[in-house]
Structures are given as structure tokens and as C-alpha cells.
Amino acid sequence: MRRTHDMGGEPAGEIDLKNHTLAPWEKATWAMRQVLGGKDHRILGVDELRRAIEDLPEADYRRLGYFDRWVRAVRAILVEKGVLGADEIEARMAALREARRQARAAKPAAKRAGG
Amino acid sequence: MAEERGTHQQGHGHDHAHDHDRTFQPDVEDFEPSESELMAIAMRELLIEKGVLTGDEIRAALEALDAIEPSLGGRIVARAWTDPEFKKRLLANGTAAVREFGVDMGDAELIVVENTPDRHNLIVCTLCSCYPRQVLGLPPDWYKSRAYRSRAVVEPRAVLREFGTELADRVAVRVHDSTADARYLVLPMRPAGTEGWSEARLAGLVSRDSLVGVTLPKMPAGR
């Protein structure tokens, strides 16, 4: 069966020529993959990354942005290889989310609303 | 995300002494971070804490990416237009030839395909987003889009028209589907009316898009 990523020749709409500037986290994701796949590490090659992207659930593949797929694929490979634990990534994400929430709450409302 | 930040900055009426242009991520805590952003930051932190990689390595990778000059592809093409021996080397073994410009293709092979009066070349990666980034930097959004990946291989002329490129019917269009190991670069035709031009001046006619094959080099003014 043909898989989601294998889309050559499928009908599709007009090409959107707008380009967005990469967000810092998108660049960081690219750079992490670059370093992990480099000759000093050889932990995460481009073919491994692509395999993990292709393994994403079809709904995720279609819904997610380009680097949103990448970051999930990087996580999958790092967990698969035992470099990082799924639990510790989850725990760190929760801690970061909470730190951000507190930082937002600590800001005077006027600054957030007005500018 | 850029829009959110733009909105925020419009009325940035507080009184303090930091320079927002120099801030890495101005007041990012004002916004709910996305799952992807949290995931990226969490993994980067953990990888550094565990000594798997260093922050310096990540910075060096980003600096190398930013150091790719937008003019690099144009300089390579202009050299091929003015130096027949270099052109031969470039078409015979792109990977080795671009090393003369300091470009290291890493594990990938660079295949340079030449446009002729009878044949136009177009590059795509239907399966993902393979691209000669060592020469051109990271690919633009449209190159990674479902529409481009799906359609380039079956209706390249319609795709080209969306980029404003109209080819005569007698010109064959050859589409090259890239992989991680084999990455393509188009060598466009030298525009007429540029006889005697210097390499530097010629390089100015070559855009990134013309090296992917979705457009043609600019014609000299007045033609």
C-alpha cells in the first residue's frame, strides 16, 4: 500500500509561494539533527530521521508542519536508541510549560495586553 | 509565531534599556509555547546536560548554515558559463567540482543537470525535502509543500507556470526526484546578450529558484 509521504503524482492544489522565517525552535531542531547525525556522533542519520517521519500516524503527518514532524521524529529515534527516555522528555516539557506559565502570570496584565 | 510577536511589538510601550533587536527571543514568555517548541527545547537541554552534545556544537551548525552566501549558487553557475573546463568537471562530478568553492557535500552526491535549448530540468523531492542545501541553504516552504511534491512529477509545465515560467512546447521538461544521497542542482542556460560579461556580473543574474529549475535566470536589462 502506498504510504502518506509517497505523494508524487497525487492531485493537489495550487502551490503557496509564501515563505516563513524559521522560528528559533525550528532552527534548533534542524541543528540538533545536524549535530547528532554528524561524523562526531552518528546517532541520527537523515535516513533514520526520514523513516521516523514516515512512521508518524497519517493524521499527524498531514496535520503537522514540517519541523513539527521533524521534532517528533527526532524524539522517536532518540527514545528508540535509549539516548533519552520518553518520560524524562515529557517531564522536562511539563517543567518548561509550567515555567512559561509562571513567567506569563508574573507579568503585569497591562504589559501583556497593551504591548 | 512571527505574527504574534509582531502584534506584541507594535505597542511596546515600556521604559527600560534593553535592545530588542539583540534579544534572542523577545518576551517569548508572553505566549503559550507549542508542543513542538517545548519538545525541541526539552530535548536540547537534556542532550546537553547528559553530555551527548554541546551547545557549542549546535551553535557551530547554525553558524555554518548562516554562512552559506545566497550568491554561492550563482557564482558556481557563472564559473561554469565562463570556464568550459570547470563546466566539464561540474557536469561530470558535481560533488568534486563544488569543493573548489569550499562546499562539502557530506554524505551526499551532487548531480548537476544542464538546461539546453531542447531540455529544461526541474528538481523535486517527492518523498520528503532533499535539496542541495550545502549550496543553496535550507529549502523554501514551497519546496517542502504537498502541492509541489505531488504535482511537479506529473504536471511540471503547470507548476512552472505558477512560478511565472513559460516554456516553448518544443522544450522537453525533465524532472529529477532527489534523495538524501543524490541531490540535484540545475545549470541554467547563459542568457543571450551577456557576451564578455565578468563572472561576478553573470552571477547576479542567477537566482536560487533558477537553480531548482522553477524559474530562468534574469535577462540582462533592455532585452
Side-chain angles (χ1 to χ4, degrees):
Chain A
M1 199 189 86
R2 192 158 152 171
R3 298 179 66 195
T4 321
H5 69 276
D6 187 8
M7 58 182 69
E10 281 183 1
E14 201 171 319
I15 297 161
D16 183 353
L17 299 181
K18 280 197 309 291
N19 204 39
H20 88 290
T21 304
L22 294 182
W25 74 263
E26 293 176 302
K27 281 193 145 191
T29 300
W30 178 84
M32 260 192 288
R33 206 305 301 168
Q34 187 70 13
V35 173
L36 289 168
K39 60 179 172 2
D40 295 336
H41 299 283
R42 296 287 184 202
I43 293 172
L44 210 176
V46 285
D47 296 314
E48 289 172 306
L49 179 81
R50 188 156 80 84
R51 194 262 293 163
I53 291 172
E54 292 166 4
D55 281 347
L56 288 171
E58 179 169 343
D60 282 350
Y61 190 97
R62 289 181 181 276
R63 169 181 65 90
L64 293 170
Y66 183 77
F67 279 104
D68 299 273
R69 295 197 291 255
W70 266 52
V71 76
R72 282 160 181 76
V74 169
R75 176 178 64 175
I77 298 287
L78 291 179
V79 170
E80 185 178 298
K81 295 196 169 184
V83 178
L84 297 179
D87 291 351
E88 66 182 338
I89 296 171
E90 198 52 53
R92 182 60 58 97
M93 286 172 67
L96 287 166
R97 192 182 291 113
E98 178 58 18
R100 287 280 191 91
R101 195 193 61 75
Q102 286 182 11
R104 279 199 306 281
K107 279 208 163 191
K111 280 190 183 173
R112 271 185 286 134
Chain B
M1 202 166 282
E3 283 162 26
E4 289 172 340
R5 241 176 268 146
T7 307
H8 165 68
Q9 283 176 339
Q10 273 171 8
H12 203 99
H14 58 200
D15 177 26
H16 59 189
H18 70 239
D19 178 354
H20 282 264
D21 288 336
R22 291 175 182 279
T23 309
F24 175 58
Q25 229 179 347
D27 299 317
V28 71
E29 66 275 15
D30 282 358
F31 310 105
E32 185 79 44
S34 73
E35 282 297 293
S36 301
E37 180 178 356
L38 290 171
M39 205 181 289
I41 298 170
M43 291 194 292
R44 182 181 56 192
E45 287 185 3
L46 289 166
L47 288 168
I48 292 172
E49 285 167 19
K50 287 167 176 269
V52 177
L53 46 72
T54 66
D56 282 345
E57 287 178 299
I58 290 182
R59 276 189 291 280
L62 289 171
E63 276 167 21
L65 179 67
D66 290 338
I68 298 173
E69 296 282 341
S71 62
L72 175 62
R75 288 195 290 123
I76 293 170
V77 165
R79 174 77 50 86
W81 284 345
T82 54
D83 178 346
E85 287 306 312
F86 176 73
K87 180 176 163 181
K88 268 189 218 163
R89 291 197 294 278
L90 188 66
L91 293 172
N93 184 341
T95 317
V98 297
R99 220 171 275 140
E100 298 174 35
F101 284 80
V103 178
D104 176 4
M105 289 299 296
D107 296 331
E109 179 188 6
L110 182 69
I111 300 167
V112 179
V113 286
E114 183 185 17
N115 286 350
T116 68
D118 305 317
R119 192 172 96 186
H120 182 83
N121 294 283
L122 180 67
I123 297 169
V124 65
C125 175
T126 61
L127 295 175
C128 44
S129 56
C130 300
Y131 184 80
R133 65 157 182 82
Q134 295 86 345
V135 178
L136 301 181
L138 294 182
D141 289 345
W142 58 259
Y143 188 82
K144 306 180 283 189
S145 70
R146 164 168 295 272
Y148 186 74
R149 288 167 55 190
S150 300
R151 294 175 50 215
V153 285
V154 281
E155 44 175 355
R157 283 173 204 273
V159 165
L160 287 169
R161 272 194 294 274
E162 287 177 27
F163 286 87
T165 304
E166 197 79 47
L167 295 175
D169 286 344
R170 65 175 175 77
V171 180
V173 180
R174 188 159 298 182
V175 183
H176 304 271
D177 198 353
S178 315
T179 69
D181 304 315
R183 300 173 189 236
Y184 293 89
L185 188 73
V186 173
L187 173 57
M189 278 192 290
R190 178 170 174 166
T194 58
E195 294 74 19
W197 282 34
S198 70
E199 233 179 271
R201 197 173 168 204
L202 287 167
L205 299 175
V206 182
S207 65
R208 173 199 68 195
D209 287 358
S210 69
L211 303 178
V212 180
V214 291
T215 63
L216 303 173
K218 287 196 278 282
M219 296 297 280
R223 289 187 70 93

